[in-house]
Amino acid sequence: MKVMDHYALIVSDVSKHGMQIFDMQHLLNATENTLWSEDAHYDEFGNAHNIFVNEDSGFAYAVGSNTCNGGLHMIDVNDPMNVFFAGCFSEDGYVHDAQCVIYDGPDTTYTGREICFCANEDSIAVVDVTDKSDPQIISNVFYDQRGYTHQGWLTEDKAYFVFGDELDEYYGVAPKTRTHVMNVKSLSNMFYIGYHEGRTTAIDHNLYVKGDFVYQANYRAGLNVLKIKGKRNEYFEEVGYFDIFPESDSNQYNGAWSTYPFHESGVVTISGIEQGIFVVKYNFRDQCMEEAFKKLTAMNGKRFTVGELGIIQPIFVINQYLEMLQQYVRLGAVEFVITSLGRFSGKASSRAKGQ
């Protein structure tokens, strides 16, 4: 399921399901035990594994369907109540997942064009879908020790594509969770950089990039948060996790299926196969204070204002800054107080899981 404006676009692997279109404004006046029907229906395909919506262009991309050779099935959803077929990309076969953007990255050849970054089971493909009647593949790159190229997301500068392989851990090719990276600074000459090896043996599933952080739903390991310190494997650092399957971190298919870090409130949602929905919030406090600590040290005991620290972190308001800073320094003196601020981390208790 993906969203266009206030409409949910729902697909399924079930035969003859098509795409259901549901106006979520119905939920504003919802009462208990209400059963809704779809508001509109699209039946140009039967089953589809997933769908991506580019709200900037108004096009949806169904993937893994029984049409287009399993590739990109393109739909104009600018008017969600009156959607229509726009085109197919079938040249590279089955597409398992995709991210499509109006491109504004480092390769100026494609500036302003609509580009899809596709996870195609055994490779990453980049496709120009600006002309829906004649989509063009730009490049397609394989990598060693692949199992099943599953899904990925661009860094915000669109210079790198971070992705997961769902079967390399399952088949024992990867002893621990691998997060893979493609350099896509040149769309026609992208290349594989390598991978970051994680803390557990869990299988990775869906990941998303927001700011300098990668939010990963890694099945039995739950939500893992990586800080992007650089794009090569040695420059990722795990800075937080929330384990919704505390019994095990092994390479089996239980626990976290997906995550969504783009809520305006700053919360992160995690969907668990057996557990349901978790709503958590990453504690940026220690990240913020690490930078403050460095700047305070350089001030040699001088008095300062919060503004002079130059910390930009919109999630905090001024009084929260002051509260945190008081844990590090007595204003006007060189006396630092080290505290244990702690990132969000931990395991769901049996009571929490049952609620």
Side-chain angles (χ1 to χ4, degrees):
M1 181 184 77
K2 297 296 188 298
V3 171
M4 178 67 183
D5 295 329
H6 51 83
Y7 293 89
L9 309 180
I10 306 163
V11 300
S12 171
D13 283 310
V14 174
S15 176
K16 300 181 181 181
H17 180 280
M19 181 174 72
Q20 297 175 324
I21 301 163
F22 177 71
D23 186 347
M24 293 186 292
Q25 290 187 124
H26 297 316
L27 304 176
L28 297 176
N29 299 307
T31 57
E32 290 184 8
N33 301 317
T34 300
L35 180 64
W36 283 282
S37 298
E38 62 188 12
D39 293 291
H41 188 83
Y42 177 83
D43 60 4
E44 292 293 323
F45 59 80
N47 59 283
H49 180 71
N50 203 352
I51 189 166
F52 180 86
V53 175
N54 184 356
E55 293 185 83
D56 293 328
S57 69
F59 284 88
Y61 299 86
V63 297
S65 78
N66 61 316
T67 64
C68 303
N69 199 23
L72 299 172
H73 181 117
M74 297 175 268
I75 312 160
D76 189 323
V77 295
N78 280 282
D79 179 358
M81 290 297 292
N82 295 283
V83 305
F84 57 89
F85 174 74
C88 264
F89 173 72
S90 57
E91 179 182 337
D92 200 40
Y94 185 94
V95 175
H96 190 77
D97 213 326
Q99 181 188 11
C100 303
V101 299
I102 302 300
Y103 185 76
D104 61 352
D107 191 342
T108 56
T109 303
Y110 296 95
T111 298
R113 300 189 68 80
E114 188 163 16
I115 306 296
C116 290
F117 296 79
C118 305
N120 288 6
E121 297 190 293
D122 58 4
S123 62
I124 299 297
V126 180
V127 184
D128 186 339
V129 295
T130 308
D131 182 352
K132 304 298 184 289
S133 65
D134 187 27
Q136 297 292 318
I137 188 164
I138 300 171
S139 58
N140 187 355
V141 174
F142 299 84
Y143 56 100
D144 292 335
Q145 296 186 316
R146 59 188 178 271
Y148 191 90
T149 313
H150 180 262
Q151 180 267 354
W153 208 254
L154 289 164
T155 54
E156 294 199 346
D157 60 5
K158 297 182 176 65
Y160 300 90
F161 189 71
V162 185
F163 66 99
D165 184 310
E166 193 176 8
L167 291 182
D168 54 359
E169 298 91 5
Y170 182 75
Y171 287 128
V173 175
K176 292 188 176 180
T177 308
R178 287 182 179 177
T179 303
H180 301 270
V181 184
M182 285 279 184
N183 181 316
V184 294
K185 292 180 181 179
S186 170
L187 298 187
S188 59
N189 292 288
M190 69 172 174
F191 59 92
Y192 180 71
I193 291 178
Y195 61 84
H196 165 79
E197 189 167 86
R199 169 177 50 85
T200 75
T201 60
I203 300 167
D204 53 89
H205 200 226
N206 293 326
L207 66 83
Y208 298 95
V209 178
K210 182 181 180 183
D212 292 330
F213 296 88
V214 180
Y215 296 82
Q216 303 176 305
N218 288 349
Y219 282 111
R220 287 190 169 194
L223 173 70
N224 289 64
V225 183
L226 301 181
K227 175 70 180 293
I228 304 173
K229 294 195 169 182
K231 307 306 186 300
R232 293 189 178 275
N233 57 331
E234 64 268 28
Y235 292 112
F236 282 86
E237 178 190 2
E238 185 184 71
V239 292
Y241 67 89
F242 191 86
D243 192 345
I244 69 170
F245 194 88
E247 297 92 330
S248 170
D249 288 333
S250 64
N251 57 341
Q252 297 297 318
Y253 294 101
N254 307 92
W257 176 266
S258 196
T259 181
Y260 188 82
F262 302 111
H263 299 284
E264 292 184 6
S265 63
V267 302
V268 179
T269 46
I270 312 163
S271 58
I273 296 171
E274 303 90 355
Q275 299 80 8
I277 299 294
F278 289 82
V279 181
V280 299
K281 194 166 188 177
Y282 183 78
N283 181 8
F284 287 93
R285 177 177 295 192
D286 52 345
Q287 297 287 333
C288 183
M289 286 298 97
E290 181 180 346
E291 296 301 317
F293 186 85
K294 293 176 183 177
K295 295 189 178 191
L296 287 167
T297 304
M299 288 182 178
N300 296 320
K302 296 178 181 178
R303 290 183 177 272
F304 59 89
T305 66
V306 172
E308 288 175 316
L309 291 178
I311 305 169
I312 301 173
Q313 183 54 264
I315 199 169
F316 296 126
V317 294
I318 293 300
N319 64 334
Q320 289 175 309
Y321 271 130
L322 291 173
E323 178 185 349
M324 290 185 291
L325 290 171
Q326 286 168 0
Q327 297 182 73
Y328 272 98
V329 64
R330 295 176 183 175
L331 298 181
V334 187
E335 181 176 351
F336 295 98
V337 180
I338 306 299
T339 63
S340 176
L341 294 174
R343 304 170 174 88
F344 81 66
S345 61
K347 294 180 180 287
S349 67
S350 57
R351 178 180 177 185
K353 287 180 62 180
Q355 293 177 344

